[in-house]
Amino acid sequence: MFAADLFRKIDLNARITFVKLASYQGISSSGSIKELIGWNEDLVNKRILVVEDIVDTGATLERTLMRLVIKECSLTLR
């Protein structure tokens, strides 16, 4: 719901896609990050807005950003 509301408010010619990662088992972190729904878009030379729903240790967000670098996207952090 948040992503849909955000998308309505910002003026961008863009598409929305989702990646689902999990690092928790129950109420505690497992220490590993599982990719439940993976990357299905060509992200090379695209501008990317990452919206994270829960930031705890930052490990999932860090993995996401590193994955974007590995995919050779033109990554600009703002």
Side-chain angles (χ1 to χ4, degrees):
M1 192 70 145
F2 173 76
D5 291 341
L6 175 65
F7 225 65
R8 282 189 209 86
K9 296 289 182 186
I10 56 178
D11 184 26
L12 294 174
N13 179 16
R15 292 191 319 232
I16 191 167
T17 188
F18 294 91
V19 175
K20 184 175 183 180
L21 305 174
S23 63
Y24 276 74
Q25 293 177 334
I27 60 170
S28 60
S29 177
S30 67
S32 64
I33 300 169
K34 295 178 186 170
E35 192 172 288
L36 304 177
I37 298 174
W39 305 89
N40 59 2
E41 300 282 334
D42 178 14
L43 303 176
V44 176
N45 296 320
K46 301 285 195 274
R47 298 175 109 190
I48 301 163
L49 172 65
V50 176
V51 179
E52 170 72 272
D53 63 342
I54 300 171
V55 179
D56 184 8
T57 64
T60 304
L61 183 58
E62 181 179 19
R63 176 183 165 154
T64 300
L65 295 177
M66 289 302 103
R67 183 70 184 259
L68 291 173
V69 169
I70 289 168
K71 288 181 147 291
E72 299 177 15
C73 301
S74 55
L75 184 62
T76 302
L77 299 178
R78 294 185 187 170

Coordinates of all heavy atoms in Angstrom, one line a residue:
M1 N 0.8 -1.2 0.0 CA 0.0 0.0 0.0 C 0.9 1.3 0.0 O 0.6 2.2 -0.7 CB -0.9 0.0 1.2 CG -2.0 1.0 1.2 SD -3.2 0.5 -0.1 CE -4.6 1.1 0.7
F2 N 1.9 1.3 0.8 CA 2.8 2.4 0.8 C 3.4 2.7 -0.5 O 3.4 3.9 -1.0 CB 3.9 2.2 1.9 CG 4.9 3.3 1.8 CD1 4.7 4.6 2.4 CD2 6.2 3.2 1.2 CE1 5.6 5.6 2.4 CE2 7.1 4.2 1.2 CZ 6.8 5.4 1.8
A3 N 3.9 1.7 -1.2 CA 4.5 1.9 -2.5 C 3.5 2.5 -3.5 O 3.8 3.4 -4.3 CB 5.1 0.6 -3.1
A4 N 2.3 2.0 -3.5 CA 1.2 2.6 -4.4 C 0.9 4.0 -4.1 O 0.8 4.9 -5.0 CB 0.0 1.7 -4.3
D5 N 0.8 4.4 -2.8 CA 0.6 5.8 -2.4 C 1.8 6.7 -2.8 O 1.6 7.8 -3.3 CB 0.4 5.9 -0.9 CG -1.0 5.3 -0.5 OD1 -1.9 5.1 -1.3 OD2 -1.1 5.0 0.7
L6 N 3.0 6.2 -2.6 CA 4.2 6.9 -2.9 C 4.2 7.2 -4.4 O 4.5 8.3 -4.9 CB 5.4 6.2 -2.5 CG 6.8 6.8 -2.9 CD1 7.0 8.1 -2.2 CD2 7.9 5.8 -2.6
F7 N 3.9 6.2 -5.2 CA 3.9 6.3 -6.7 C 2.9 7.3 -7.2 O 3.2 8.0 -8.2 CB 3.7 4.9 -7.3 CG 4.6 4.5 -8.4 CD1 5.9 4.4 -8.2 CD2 4.1 4.4 -9.7 CE1 6.8 4.1 -9.2 CE2 5.0 4.0 -10.7 CZ 6.3 3.9 -10.5
R8 N 1.8 7.4 -6.5 CA 0.8 8.4 -6.9 C 1.3 9.8 -6.7 O 0.9 10.7 -7.3 CB -0.5 8.1 -6.2 CG -1.3 7.0 -6.7 CD -2.7 7.0 -6.0 NE -3.3 5.7 -5.9 CZ -3.1 4.8 -5.0 NH1 -2.3 5.1 -4.0 NH2 -3.6 3.6 -5.0
K9 N 2.1 10.0 -5.7 CA 2.5 11.3 -5.3 C 3.8 11.9 -6.0 O 4.0 13.1 -6.0 CB 2.8 11.4 -3.7 CG 1.6 11.1 -2.9 CD 0.7 12.3 -2.9 CE -0.5 12.0 -2.1 NZ -1.5 13.0 -2.2
I10 N 4.6 11.0 -6.5 CA 5.8 11.5 -7.2 C 5.6 11.5 -8.7 O 4.9 10.7 -9.3 CB 7.0 10.6 -6.9 CG1 6.8 9.1 -7.2 CG2 7.4 10.7 -5.4 CD1 8.0 8.2 -6.9
D11 N 6.2 12.5 -9.3 CA 6.0 12.7 -10.8 C 7.2 12.1 -11.5 O 8.2 12.8 -11.7 CB 5.9 14.2 -11.1 CG 5.6 14.5 -12.5 OD1 5.0 13.6 -13.2 OD2 6.0 15.6 -13.0
L12 N 7.1 10.8 -11.8 CA 8.1 10.1 -12.5 C 7.5 9.3 -13.7 O 6.5 8.7 -13.5 CB 8.9 9.2 -11.6 CG 9.7 9.7 -10.5 CD1 10.2 8.6 -9.6 CD2 10.9 10.5 -11.0
N13 N 8.3 9.2 -14.8 CA 7.9 8.2 -15.8 C 8.6 6.9 -15.4 O 9.8 6.8 -15.7 CB 8.4 8.7 -17.2 CG 8.0 7.8 -18.3 OD1 7.2 6.9 -18.1 ND2 8.7 7.9 -19.4
A14 N 7.9 6.1 -14.7 CA 8.5 4.9 -14.1 C 7.6 3.7 -14.1 O 6.4 3.8 -14.3 CB 9.0 5.3 -12.7
R15 N 8.2 2.6 -13.8 CA 7.5 1.3 -13.6 C 7.8 0.9 -12.2 O 8.9 1.2 -11.6 CB 8.0 0.2 -14.5 CG 7.6 0.5 -16.0 CD 7.8 -0.7 -16.8 NE 9.1 -1.4 -16.5 CZ 10.0 -1.7 -17.4 NH1 9.8 -1.4 -18.6 NH2 11.1 -2.3 -17.0
I16 N 6.9 0.1 -11.6 CA 7.2 -0.4 -10.3 C 7.3 -1.9 -10.3 O 6.7 -2.6 -11.1 CB 6.0 0.0 -9.3 CG1 6.4 -0.3 -7.9 CG2 4.7 -0.7 -9.7 CD1 5.5 0.3 -6.9
T17 N 8.3 -2.4 -9.6 CA 8.5 -3.9 -9.5 C 8.9 -4.2 -8.1 O 9.3 -3.3 -7.3 CB 9.6 -4.3 -10.5 OG1 9.6 -5.7 -10.5 CG2 11.0 -3.8 -10.2
F18 N 8.8 -5.4 -7.7 CA 9.1 -5.8 -6.3 C 10.1 -6.9 -6.3 O 10.1 -7.8 -7.1 CB 7.8 -6.3 -5.6 CG 6.8 -5.2 -5.5 CD1 5.8 -5.0 -6.5 CD2 6.8 -4.4 -4.4 CE1 4.9 -4.0 -6.3 CE2 5.9 -3.4 -4.2 CZ 4.9 -3.2 -5.2
V19 N 10.9 -6.9 -5.2 CA 11.8 -8.0 -4.9 C 11.4 -8.3 -3.4 O 11.2 -7.4 -2.6 CB 13.2 -7.5 -5.0 CG1 14.2 -8.6 -4.5 CG2 13.6 -7.1 -6.4
K20 N 11.3 -9.6 -3.2 CA 11.0 -10.0 -1.8 C 12.1 -10.8 -1.2 O 12.5 -11.8 -1.7 CB 9.7 -10.8 -1.8 CG 9.2 -11.2 -0.4 CD 7.9 -11.9 -0.4 CE 7.4 -12.3 1.0 NZ 6.1 -13.0 0.9
L21 N 12.7 -10.2 -0.1 CA 13.8 -10.9 0.6 C 13.3 -11.2 2.0 O 12.5 -10.4 2.6 CB 15.0 -10.0 0.6 CG 15.5 -9.5 -0.8 CD1 16.6 -8.5 -0.6 CD2 15.9 -10.7 -1.6
A22 N 13.9 -12.2 2.6 CA 13.6 -12.5 4.0 C 14.8 -12.9 4.8 O 15.7 -13.6 4.3 CB 12.6 -13.7 4.0
S23 N 14.9 -12.3 5.9 CA 16.1 -12.6 6.8 C 15.6 -13.1 8.2 O 16.4 -13.3 9.1 CB 17.1 -11.5 6.9 OG 16.4 -10.4 7.5
Y24 N 14.3 -13.0 8.4 CA 13.8 -13.4 9.7 C 13.1 -14.7 9.7 O 12.5 -15.1 8.7 CB 12.8 -12.3 10.2 CG 13.4 -11.2 10.9 CD1 14.1 -10.2 10.1 CD2 13.4 -11.0 12.2 CE1 14.8 -9.1 10.7 CE2 14.0 -9.9 12.8 CZ 14.7 -9.0 12.1 OH 15.3 -8.0 12.7
Q25 N 13.2 -15.5 10.8 CA 12.4 -16.7 11.0 C 11.7 -16.4 12.3 O 12.3 -16.3 13.4 CB 13.4 -17.9 11.2 CG 14.0 -18.3 9.9 CD 15.0 -19.4 10.1 OE1 15.5 -19.7 11.1 NE2 15.2 -20.1 9.0
G26 N 10.4 -16.2 12.2 CA 9.7 -15.8 13.4 C 10.0 -14.4 13.8 O 9.8 -13.5 13.0
I27 N 10.5 -14.2 15.0 CA 10.7 -12.8 15.4 C 12.2 -12.5 15.5 O 12.6 -11.4 16.0 CB 10.1 -12.5 16.8 CG1 10.6 -13.5 17.9 CG2 8.5 -12.6 16.6 CD1 10.1 -13.1 19.3
S28 N 13.1 -13.4 15.1 CA 14.5 -13.1 15.1 C 15.2 -13.3 13.8 O 14.8 -14.2 13.0 CB 15.2 -13.9 16.2 OG 15.1 -15.3 15.9
S29 N 16.3 -12.6 13.6 CA 17.0 -12.7 12.3 C 17.7 -14.0 12.2 O 18.3 -14.5 13.2 CB 18.0 -11.6 12.2 OG 18.8 -11.7 11.0
S30 N 17.7 -14.6 11.1 CA 18.4 -15.9 10.9 C 19.9 -15.7 10.5 O 20.6 -16.7 10.6 CB 17.7 -16.7 9.7 OG 17.9 -16.0 8.5
G31 N 20.2 -14.5 10.2 CA 21.6 -14.2 9.8 C 21.9 -14.4 8.3 O 22.9 -14.0 7.8
S32 N 20.9 -15.0 7.6 CA 21.1 -15.2 6.2 C 19.9 -14.5 5.5 O 18.8 -14.4 6.1 CB 21.2 -16.6 5.8 OG 20.0 -17.3 6.1
I33 N 20.1 -14.1 4.2 CA 19.0 -13.5 3.5 C 18.6 -14.4 2.3 O 19.4 -14.8 1.5 CB 19.5 -12.1 3.0 CG1 19.9 -11.2 4.1 CG2 18.4 -11.4 2.1 CD1 20.7 -9.9 3.7
K34 N 17.3 -14.7 2.3 CA 16.8 -15.5 1.2 C 16.0 -14.6 0.2 O 15.3 -13.7 0.6 CB 15.8 -16.5 1.8 CG 16.5 -17.5 2.7 CD 15.4 -18.5 3.3 CE 16.1 -19.4 4.3 NZ 15.1 -20.1 5.1
E35 N 16.2 -14.9 -1.0 CA 15.5 -14.2 -2.1 C 14.3 -15.0 -2.4 O 14.3 -16.1 -3.0 CB 16.4 -14.1 -3.3 CG 15.9 -13.1 -4.4 CD 17.0 -12.9 -5.5 OE1 18.0 -12.2 -5.2 OE2 16.8 -13.4 -6.6
L36 N 13.1 -14.5 -2.0 CA 11.9 -15.2 -2.2 C 11.2 -14.9 -3.6 O 10.7 -15.7 -4.3 CB 10.9 -14.9 -1.1 CG 11.4 -15.2 0.3 CD1 10.3 -14.8 1.3 CD2 11.7 -16.7 0.5
I37 N 11.3 -13.6 -4.0 CA 10.9 -13.2 -5.3 C 12.1 -12.4 -5.8 O 12.5 -11.4 -5.3 CB 9.7 -12.3 -5.3 CG1 8.5 -13.1 -4.7 CG2 9.3 -11.8 -6.7 CD1 7.2 -12.3 -4.5
G38 N 12.7 -12.8 -7.0 CA 13.9 -12.2 -7.5 C 13.7 -11.1 -8.5 O 12.6 -10.7 -8.8
W39 N 14.8 -10.7 -9.0 CA 14.9 -9.6 -10.0 C 14.4 -10.2 -11.3 O 14.8 -11.2 -11.8 CB 16.3 -9.2 -10.2 CG 17.0 -8.8 -8.9 CD1 17.7 -9.6 -8.0 CD2 17.0 -7.5 -8.3 NE1 18.1 -8.9 -7.0 CE2 17.7 -7.6 -7.1 CE3 16.5 -6.3 -8.7 CZ2 17.9 -6.5 -6.3 CZ3 16.7 -5.2 -7.9 CH2 17.4 -5.3 -6.7
N40 N 13.4 -9.5 -11.9 CA 12.9 -9.9 -13.2 C 12.8 -8.8 -14.2 O 12.1 -8.9 -15.2 CB 11.5 -10.5 -13.0 CG 10.5 -9.5 -12.4 OD1 10.8 -8.4 -12.1 ND2 9.3 -9.9 -12.1
E41 N 13.6 -7.7 -13.9 CA 13.6 -6.5 -14.8 C 15.0 -6.3 -15.3 O 16.0 -6.6 -14.6 CB 13.2 -5.3 -14.1 CG 11.7 -5.3 -13.5 CD 10.7 -5.1 -14.6 OE1 11.0 -4.4 -15.6 OE2 9.6 -5.6 -14.4
D42 N 15.2 -5.8 -16.5 CA 16.5 -5.3 -17.0 C 16.8 -4.0 -16.3 O 16.1 -3.0 -16.6 CB 16.5 -5.2 -18.5 CG 17.8 -4.7 -19.0 OD1 18.8 -4.7 -18.3 OD2 17.8 -4.3 -20.2
L43 N 17.7 -3.9 -15.4 CA 18.0 -2.7 -14.7 C 19.2 -1.9 -15.1 O 19.5 -0.9 -14.6 CB 18.1 -3.1 -13.2 CG 17.0 -3.8 -12.5 CD1 17.3 -4.2 -11.1 CD2 15.7 -3.0 -12.6
V44 N 19.9 -2.4 -16.2 CA 21.1 -1.8 -16.6 C 20.8 -0.4 -17.2 O 19.8 -0.2 -17.9 CB 21.7 -2.6 -17.7 CG1 23.0 -1.9 -18.3 CG2 22.1 -4.0 -17.2
N45 N 21.5 0.6 -16.7 CA 21.4 2.0 -17.0 C 20.0 2.6 -16.7 O 19.6 3.5 -17.4 CB 21.7 2.2 -18.5 CG 23.2 1.9 -18.8 OD1 24.0 2.2 -18.0 ND2 23.4 1.2 -19.9
K46 N 19.4 2.1 -15.7 CA 18.1 2.6 -15.3 C 18.3 3.4 -14.0 O 19.2 3.1 -13.2 CB 17.1 1.5 -15.0 CG 16.8 0.6 -16.2 CD 15.9 1.3 -17.1 CE 15.3 0.3 -18.2 NZ 16.0 0.1 -19.3
R47 N 17.4 4.4 -13.7 CA 17.4 5.0 -12.4 C 16.5 4.2 -11.5 O 15.4 3.9 -11.9 CB 16.9 6.4 -12.6 CG 17.8 7.3 -13.5 CD 17.2 8.6 -13.7 NE 18.0 9.6 -13.0 CZ 17.6 10.8 -12.8 NH1 16.5 11.3 -13.2 NH2 18.4 11.6 -12.1
I48 N 16.9 3.9 -10.3 CA 16.2 3.0 -9.5 C 16.0 3.7 -8.1 O 16.9 4.3 -7.5 CB 17.1 1.7 -9.2 CG1 17.3 1.1 -10.6 CG2 16.4 0.8 -8.3 CD1 18.4 0.1 -10.6
L49 N 14.7 3.6 -7.7 CA 14.3 4.1 -6.4 C 14.1 2.9 -5.5 O 13.2 2.1 -5.9 CB 13.1 5.0 -6.5 CG 12.4 5.4 -5.1 CD1 13.4 6.3 -4.3 CD2 11.1 6.1 -5.4
V50 N 14.8 2.7 -4.5 CA 14.7 1.5 -3.6 C 13.8 2.0 -2.4 O 14.2 2.9 -1.7 CB 16.0 1.0 -3.1 CG1 15.8 -0.2 -2.1 CG2 16.9 0.5 -4.3
V51 N 12.7 1.3 -2.2 CA 11.9 1.6 -1.0 C 11.9 0.3 -0.1 O 11.5 -0.8 -0.5 CB 10.4 1.9 -1.4 CG1 9.5 2.1 -0.2 CG2 10.4 3.0 -2.4
E52 N 12.4 0.5 1.1 CA 12.6 -0.6 2.1 C 11.4 -0.5 3.1 O 11.2 0.6 3.6 CB 13.9 -0.5 2.7 CG 14.2 -1.4 3.9 CD 14.3 -2.9 3.5 OE1 13.2 -3.5 3.5 OE2 15.4 -3.3 3.3
D53 N 10.8 -1.6 3.4 CA 9.6 -1.5 4.3 C 10.1 -1.5 5.8 O 9.5 -0.9 6.6 CB 8.6 -2.5 4.0 CG 9.0 -3.9 4.2 OD1 10.3 -4.1 4.2 OD2 8.2 -4.8 4.3
I54 N 11.1 -2.3 6.1 CA 11.6 -2.4 7.5 C 13.1 -2.4 7.4 O 13.7 -3.2 6.8 CB 11.1 -3.8 8.1 CG1 9.6 -3.8 8.1 CG2 11.7 -3.9 9.5 CD1 9.0 -5.2 8.5
V55 N 13.7 -1.4 8.1 CA 15.1 -1.4 8.3 C 15.5 -1.7 9.7 O 15.1 -1.0 10.6 CB 15.6 0.0 7.9 CG1 17.2 0.1 8.0 CG2 15.2 0.4 6.4
D56 N 16.2 -2.8 9.9 CA 16.6 -3.2 11.2 C 18.1 -3.1 11.3 O 18.6 -2.1 11.7 CB 16.1 -4.6 11.5 CG 16.4 -5.1 12.9 OD1 16.9 -4.3 13.7 OD2 16.2 -6.3 13.1
T57 N 18.8 -4.1 10.8 CA 20.3 -4.0 10.8 C 20.8 -3.3 9.5 O 22.0 -3.0 9.5 CB 20.9 -5.4 10.9 OG1 20.5 -6.1 9.7 CG2 20.4 -6.2 12.1
G58 N 20.0 -3.3 8.5 CA 20.5 -2.7 7.2 C 21.1 -3.8 6.3 O 21.4 -3.5 5.2
A59 N 21.1 -5.0 6.7 CA 21.8 -6.1 5.9 C 21.0 -6.3 4.6 O 21.6 -6.5 3.6 CB 21.9 -7.4 6.8
T60 N 19.7 -6.3 4.7 CA 18.9 -6.6 3.5 C 19.0 -5.4 2.5 O 19.2 -5.7 1.3 CB 17.4 -6.8 3.9 OG1 17.3 -7.8 4.8 CG2 16.6 -7.1 2.6
L61 N 19.0 -4.2 3.0 CA 19.2 -3.1 2.1 C 20.6 -3.1 1.5 O 20.8 -2.8 0.3 CB 18.9 -1.8 2.9 CG 19.0 -0.5 2.1 CD1 18.1 -0.5 0.9 CD2 18.8 0.7 3.0
E62 N 21.6 -3.4 2.3 CA 23.0 -3.5 1.8 C 23.1 -4.5 0.7 O 23.7 -4.3 -0.3 CB 23.9 -3.8 2.9 CG 25.4 -3.9 2.5 CD 26.4 -4.1 3.6 OE1 25.9 -4.6 4.7 OE2 27.6 -3.9 3.4
R63 N 22.5 -5.7 0.9 CA 22.5 -6.7 -0.1 C 21.8 -6.3 -1.4 O 22.3 -6.5 -2.5 CB 21.8 -8.0 0.4 CG 21.7 -9.0 -0.7 CD 21.0 -10.3 -0.3 NE 20.7 -11.1 -1.4 CZ 20.6 -12.4 -1.4 NH1 20.7 -13.0 -0.3 NH2 20.2 -13.0 -2.5
T64 N 20.7 -5.6 -1.2 CA 20.0 -5.0 -2.4 C 20.9 -4.1 -3.2 O 21.0 -4.2 -4.4 CB 18.7 -4.3 -1.9 OG1 17.9 -5.3 -1.3 CG2 17.9 -3.7 -3.1
L65 N 21.5 -3.2 -2.5 CA 22.4 -2.2 -3.2 C 23.6 -2.9 -3.8 O 23.9 -2.5 -5.0 CB 22.8 -1.1 -2.2 CG 21.7 -0.2 -1.7 CD1 22.3 0.8 -0.6 CD2 21.0 0.5 -2.8
M66 N 24.1 -3.9 -3.2 CA 25.3 -4.6 -3.8 C 24.8 -5.4 -5.0 O 25.5 -5.5 -6.0 CB 25.9 -5.5 -2.8 CG 26.7 -4.8 -1.7 SD 28.0 -3.7 -2.3 CE 27.3 -2.1 -2.2
R67 N 23.6 -5.9 -4.9 CA 23.1 -6.7 -6.1 C 22.9 -5.7 -7.3 O 23.1 -6.1 -8.4 CB 21.8 -7.3 -5.7 CG 21.1 -8.2 -6.7 CD 21.9 -9.5 -7.0 NE 21.4 -10.2 -8.1 CZ 20.6 -11.3 -7.9 NH1 20.3 -11.7 -6.7 NH2 20.1 -11.9 -9.0
L68 N 22.5 -4.5 -7.0 CA 22.3 -3.5 -8.1 C 23.7 -3.2 -8.7 O 23.8 -3.1 -9.9 CB 21.6 -2.3 -7.6 CG 20.2 -2.4 -7.2 CD1 19.7 -1.2 -6.5 CD2 19.3 -2.8 -8.4
V69 N 24.7 -3.1 -7.9 CA 26.0 -2.8 -8.4 C 26.5 -4.0 -9.2 O 27.1 -3.9 -10.3 CB 27.0 -2.5 -7.3 CG1 28.5 -2.5 -7.8 CG2 26.7 -1.2 -6.6
I70 N 26.3 -5.2 -8.8 CA 26.7 -6.4 -9.5 C 26.0 -6.5 -10.8 O 26.6 -6.9 -11.8 CB 26.4 -7.7 -8.6 CG1 27.3 -7.8 -7.5 CG2 26.5 -9.0 -9.5 CD1 27.0 -8.8 -6.4
K71 N 24.7 -6.1 -10.9 CA 24.0 -6.1 -12.2 C 24.4 -4.9 -13.1 O 23.9 -4.7 -14.1 CB 22.5 -6.0 -11.9 CG 21.9 -7.3 -11.4 CD 20.4 -7.1 -11.2 CE 19.7 -8.4 -11.4 NZ 19.6 -8.9 -12.7
E72 N 25.5 -4.2 -12.7 CA 26.1 -3.1 -13.5 C 25.1 -2.0 -13.8 O 25.0 -1.5 -14.9 CB 26.7 -3.7 -14.8 CG 27.8 -4.7 -14.5 CD 28.4 -5.3 -15.7 OE1 28.1 -4.8 -16.8 OE2 29.1 -6.3 -15.6
C73 N 24.2 -1.7 -12.8 CA 23.3 -0.6 -13.0 C 24.1 0.7 -12.7 O 25.0 0.7 -12.0 CB 22.2 -0.7 -12.0 SG 21.3 -2.2 -12.2
S74 N 23.6 1.8 -13.3 CA 24.2 3.1 -13.0 C 23.6 3.5 -11.7 O 22.5 4.0 -11.6 CB 23.9 4.1 -14.1 OG 22.5 4.2 -14.3
L75 N 24.2 3.2 -10.6 CA 23.7 3.4 -9.3 C 24.2 4.8 -8.7 O 25.4 5.0 -8.6 CB 24.2 2.3 -8.4 CG 23.7 2.2 -7.0 CD1 22.1 2.1 -7.0 CD2 24.3 1.1 -6.2
T76 N 23.2 5.6 -8.4 CA 23.5 6.9 -7.8 C 22.7 6.9 -6.5 O 21.5 6.8 -6.5 CB 23.1 8.1 -8.6 OG1 23.8 8.0 -9.9 CG2 23.4 9.4 -7.9
L77 N 23.4 7.0 -5.4 CA 22.7 7.0 -4.1 C 22.4 8.4 -3.7 O 23.2 9.3 -3.8 CB 23.6 6.4 -3.0 CG 24.0 4.9 -3.2 CD1 24.9 4.5 -2.1 CD2 22.8 4.0 -3.3
R78 N 21.1 8.6 -3.3 CA 20.7 9.9 -2.9 C 19.9 9.8 -1.6 O 19.2 8.9 -1.4 CB 19.8 10.6 -3.9 CG 20.6 10.9 -5.2 CD 19.7 11.6 -6.1 NE 20.5 11.8 -7.4 CZ 20.0 12.2 -8.5 NH1 18.7 12.6 -8.5 NH2 20.7 12.3 -9.6

